Amino acid sequence: MRATTGMVRACDVGTPSVRPGTDDITPTTIASRISSRDEMDHPGCAYHAPPVDGTDPPASAVVARRACLRAPSGARILDCIDWQVGAADRWVVLGSNGSGKTSLLRLAGAQVRPTSGTVDVLGRRLGRTDMRELRRHIGVASTAVSEQLRPTLSAHDAVVTARHGALEPWWHAYEPDDHARADELLDAMGCGALRDRALVTLSQGERQRVTIARALMPCPGLLLLDEPAAGLDLPAREDLLARLALLAGHPDAPPMVLVTHHLEEIPPGITHVLLLRDGRAVAAGPIDETLTAALLSDTFGFAVSVACRDGRWTAWATIRPEP
């Protein structure tokens, strides 16, 4: 794997525009809606969860050393991954279909343990800790999570139930502060007006934003986003990326890992990139130094050019098929 070193030049988050008809947000409002202890008067309402074992938070949210993951058949899924997610890092993982992106996210989310090598998440080594307890401190937004939720569940209940990692509101009792936090998170994601709407009635973009609000509900120590902009039209994608940019740029937000196929779905504020091909890391490091045409072409096996403008990335083919 090729790794790069040096200082990270964080993208300028700024104050992005959002789609008409959604709640306008600014860095100030998202900070107050999601992470302000004073205004919400809700103990522990900042992004970070308490340390899993009651000690100081670990310096790194994820540390993988020669981590391998194999299918029951023995087929290689991930091979010798060395990767470290710092406490203030915002990573994007890029690669083609079948490259191992979602499997890597499952390792980081303590859904599986490595076949060999080691993976430490929030200071706990997978295979030597209660992974069910560890998962309570990890926020995950993915299609798999969304599909587990009952379609007739309201947006509010879909968020508040994450307080206990539940799927139904009657499984646990909730305090008024829990309901207030769920509403604040819906507001921050531009979904406040959807509070009482059933999930089945929401657009894909609306449902994606509700799922991210749910991931933030338990004050996670690590936030994992699996293709959050997949399937969205242009206005919905830009609205979502604007909100993710504000989240990435907030100093109290947890370390973040976002998986995508497309450079255009990388929000400003992402600091690092990991490039995967066939279960192996091609390169990892600060995004400005690592997301190059040469390395991306190697990752996808396809010649591309890469550009970044105003914190937004794009790629296009440099070799056109012959007529």
Side-chain angles (χ1 to χ4, degrees), residues 16-26 33 186-194 203 205-206 209 233 235-240 242-243:
S17 299
V18 297
R19 202 173 22 162
T22 62
D23 296 340
D24 290 340
I25 55 174
T26 67
R33 289 176 180 178
L186 285 170
D187 284 341
M189 293 307 297
C191 299
L194 307 176
S203 70
E206 291 168 341
R209 286 183 275 137
D233 61 22
R237 184 192 75 181
E238 293 303 297
D239 179 85
L240 177 63
R243 298 175 193 279

Side-chain angles (χ1 to χ4, degrees), residues 68-72 74-79 81 98-104 106 276 278-280:
C68 299
L69 185 64
R70 297 189 180 276
R76 183 186 69 200
I77 301 173
L78 294 170
D79 192 23
I81 299 294
S99 61
K101 301 186 303 299
T102 297
S103 295
L104 183 67
R106 294 186 68 210
L276 287 179
D278 297 330
R280 295 184 175 182

Side-chain angles (χ1 to χ4, degrees), residues 242-283:
R243 298 175 193 279
L244 291 180
L246 295 177
L247 181 61
H250 196 279
D252 291 332
M256 177 190 305
V257 180
L258 182 151
V259 162
T260 183
H261 295 93
H262 307 294
L263 273 66
E264 293 76 13
E265 296 176 357
I266 301 175
I270 294 294
T271 59
H272 291 73
V273 62
L274 170 64
L275 302 175
L276 287 179
R277 180 175 182 177
D278 297 330
R280 295 184 175 182
V282 175

Side-chain angles (χ1 to χ4, degrees), residues 30-211:
I30 200 167
S32 65
R33 289 176 180 178
I34 301 182
S35 66
S36 169
R37 294 176 184 265
D38 295 333
E39 293 183 18
M40 290 179 60
D41 192 25
H42 179 56
C45 69
Y47 288 121
H48 283 288
V52 175
D53 57 3
T55 61
D56 292 334
S60 296
V62 181
V63 179
R65 292 289 178 259
R66 298 189 64 79
C68 299
L69 185 64
R70 297 189 180 276
S73 65
R76 183 186 69 200
I77 301 173
L78 294 170
D79 192 23
C80 293
I81 299 294
D82 289 311
W83 182 43
Q84 185 164 333
V85 178
D89 289 354
R90 286 84 171 93
W91 282 80
V92 63
V93 180
L94 287 168
S96 59
N97 290 330
S99 61
K101 301 186 303 299
T102 297
S103 295
L104 183 67
L105 217 60
R106 294 186 68 210
L107 276 177
Q111 297 291 331
V112 295
R113 62 184 183 183
T115 306
S116 62
T118 63
V119 176
D120 295 330
V121 178
L122 299 178
R124 294 294 190 92
R125 179 149 298 180
L126 301 188
R128 297 183 182 178
T129 190
D130 184 342
M131 290 168 63
R132 294 172 299 177
E133 170 62 22
L134 180 57
R135 287 195 290 268
R136 294 180 56 202
H137 300 266
I138 303 170
V140 180
S142 67
T143 300
V145 170
S146 180
E147 289 177 347
Q148 292 182 61
L149 300 173
R150 176 166 49 87
T152 55
L153 202 65
S154 71
H156 173 86
D157 284 347
V159 175
V160 77
T161 49
R163 171 70 176 79
H164 298 288
L167 298 177
E168 293 290 352
W170 57 77
W171 292 0
H172 300 275
Y174 297 92
E175 300 296 329
D177 283 347
D178 295 328
H179 292 288
R181 175 167 172 77
D183 288 341
E184 294 284 349
L185 289 169
L186 285 170
D187 284 341
M189 293 307 297
C191 299
L194 307 176
R195 181 188 189 280
D196 299 318
R197 291 264 304 273
L199 295 178
V200 71
T201 69
L202 304 183
S203 70
Q204 187 168 353
E206 291 168 341
R207 186 159 178 155
Q208 294 280 61
R209 286 183 275 137
V210 169
T211 303

